[in-house]
Amino acid sequence: MEEEEVKDAGEAPVGGEKVVDSIQSETTTVSRMRAQLQVPPIQVVSNGDACEAPPQGSGAPPLSQPVQTPPMQVFLIFLRGFTTYRTVNLRLMKWNRKQASFATLNSRKYTNRISLLVFLLHLVAAALAISFFSFKVVQGVLDRGTAKSRREERTLKFWLPPIEGASLLSIIIAFIWQRSFRAWPAFMVHFILWACFAITMAAGVLLLCFSMPATDGAGVSLLLFSIGTGLYACWVPRRATFSGRVFARSLQPVQKFPNVNGPAYLMMGLGFLWISLWCFAVIGALEFYYPALTILALVLSLAWTAEVLRNVANLTASRVIALYYLRGMQCNTQFCFQRAVSINLGSACLGSLFVPTIEALRIIARGLNLLEGEDEFLFSCAHCCLRVMESIFRYGNSWAFVHVAAYGQGFVAASQSTWGLFERQGMEEIVDSDITSSICFLTGVSSGAICVIFAASLTFAEHRQYTITVSFVAFFVGYLMTRIAMALPEACVACFYVCYAENPCSRLFDSTIPDHLAQIHAAAYGSSRSSTPRLIQRRVATA
């Protein structure tokens, strides 16, 4: 018994050693299996792609084989990411462009500062000269009993009343012209062509009836101009019809801004005051050294000042109408006027020097286009004038005032941007054939001729010696005051063209311009009656 107990007691340690050995061997086997097992790398699997299970009985562990993405799926993933990036980038660019465009609408940078400085210096010099000559007139009048005093008193008596009367008459006529264009635009375009013909002929005949050498020369000049106006009216009936439609369409937004005409009226009032002082100073300049050169300098100064006043009204109306077309905004006219007389005044001064020269060159080019025929000399002149006009139109044109007012650009940069818009939209022909500037010019000439009839008749009845001088000044004053009043219709037409070229798909525009462009493209370019200066280039290239 004791031996069996001893055996049983002795078996326990042996069995315990066997259990421990078996556990250690299992632990060693597991650790070896983990060391031999290689964990597969992380694989990128596209969405929707499921990994296929390994075939049964292959003996290969399911995790030991890496899953590889096909090349086409990699390309699609890359393309999807690139498209998303490009879409986001384009949206950012559009947003930045939109923010930049809205920022430029409120630009506070002064444009054409050198021109502004030159004009201000000229204005100070003109004011000092007018003050000095006016003082000389008062001093001469107060010096009783001398020949100079008697001459100046007689000049004041027979010179100043008809000029002041012509100035007031020109303001009334300017109001009538502008109101008529706003009420009956299509009719007034045709009416002004023939009214200018009749009025200038009547003024020329009246001056010829005075039978004086000076008045005879002026009368012949007016008769020749009248004949030219009649021929022009016969030449542009189709353009006049289209211009009437453009006037009617472009003046429609003015009804939404009842006070947009206020700056033009204010500029006319300032022009009347300045002209009154200027006429008083001319009397003193007659007794100064080199009176002819002095009066010529005063005339040029008055012309530049009046043109700047006109362009200030033009810039004000252009900003109001352009922002309505481009952004659908209803701007405050007073704020636009403040920008025109401060920030954009330099561009108005520079444009006042360029635009009259451009219009004169345009008239010369069109005249040469009609007369060139087969003559080699005229052909060369027309070609040369075309090249000059091309350069000027690219770096200085009357359409630039729209971008000057809307975006605060300089005059030259605005000229390039507006003409670039016309070229991209293929609107060069329609812009060249536009007669808006000609209609406004003839309106001013008609007012000047009416003032000549009034002032010359009054002066000839009182003192014949001053008839031609008073007639010239009355014509000049009537023309300038009417051009200031016509700044609003001219600005509306310019905004209609430029804003259409910038955004042709706007719902604010109708089919007036596209239909006319289609007619121009369908017509024969070789027609001499409908050709424009820019069409000379095509005929030159064909030759």
Side-chain angles (χ1 to χ4, degrees), residues 95-163:
W95 184 83
N96 291 332
R97 191 182 300 113
K98 185 177 180 181
Q99 295 298 323
S101 63
F102 275 104
T104 54
L105 293 178
N106 296 321
S107 175
R108 295 292 179 180
K109 182 180 179 181
Y110 281 78
T111 58
N112 301 112
R113 299 181 180 181
I114 297 178
S115 302
L116 176 60
L117 179 62
V118 172
F119 176 76
L120 293 179
L121 292 176
H122 145 265
L123 200 61
V124 171
L128 292 176
I130 289 175
S131 301
F132 174 75
F133 292 136
S134 301
F135 171 74
K136 285 294 183 180
V137 172
V138 175
Q139 187 181 20
V141 171
L142 294 178
D143 190 10
R144 298 283 182 177
T146 61
K148 180 180 178 181
S149 175
R150 289 191 295 270
R151 286 197 307 270
E152 292 186 353
E153 287 180 358
R154 187 174 56 183
T155 304
L156 284 174
K157 181 179 179 181
F158 298 109
W159 162 272
L160 203 58
I163 298 300

Side-chain angles (χ1 to χ4, degrees), residues 377-460:
F377 175 73
L378 290 178
F379 178 81
S380 301
C381 290
H383 186 65
C384 179
C385 189
L386 172 67
R387 293 300 182 185
V388 173
M389 197 181 69
E390 286 279 348
S391 302
I392 293 177
F393 262 89
R394 186 170 297 278
Y395 297 101
N397 53 73
S398 58
W399 316 104
F401 291 114
V402 179
H403 276 188
V404 170
Y407 300 113
Q409 296 179 344
F411 180 75
V412 177
S415 301
Q416 293 176 327
S417 62
T418 51
W419 199 254
L421 287 175
F422 292 148
E423 289 179 343
R424 284 194 292 272
Q425 298 296 336
M427 294 175 57
E428 302 100 313
E429 292 88 352
I430 194 174
V431 170
D432 279 334
S433 62
D434 179 70
I435 61 172
T436 300
S437 58
S438 300
I439 294 298
C440 295
F441 170 75
L442 294 179
T443 305
V445 171
S446 301
S447 298
I450 294 175
C451 292
V452 166
I453 295 174
F454 165 78
S457 302
L458 183 62
T459 307
F460 184 79

Side-chain angles (χ1 to χ4, degrees), residues 164 167 270-280 302 477 481:
E164 293 296 328
S167 301
L270 292 177
F272 173 76
L273 295 177
W274 186 258
I275 288 173
S276 300
L277 296 175
W278 180 86
C279 293
F280 194 73
L302 177 62
V477 170
M481 298 300 290

Side-chain angles (χ1 to χ4, degrees), residues 102 104-106 253-263 315-340 402 405-407 495:
F102 275 104
T104 54
L105 293 178
N106 296 321
V254 178
Q255 301 175 0
K256 301 180 181 295
F257 307 95
N259 58 346
V260 72
N261 214 14
L315 286 172
T316 304
S318 295
R319 181 170 178 85
V320 173
I321 304 300
L323 294 187
Y324 169 76
Y325 280 134
L326 298 176
R327 300 288 185 267
M329 301 168 57
Q330 292 191 356
C331 296
N332 186 5
T333 306
Q334 183 179 359
F335 174 73
C336 298
F337 176 71
Q338 292 174 357
R339 287 180 59 90
V402 179
Y407 300 113
C495 291

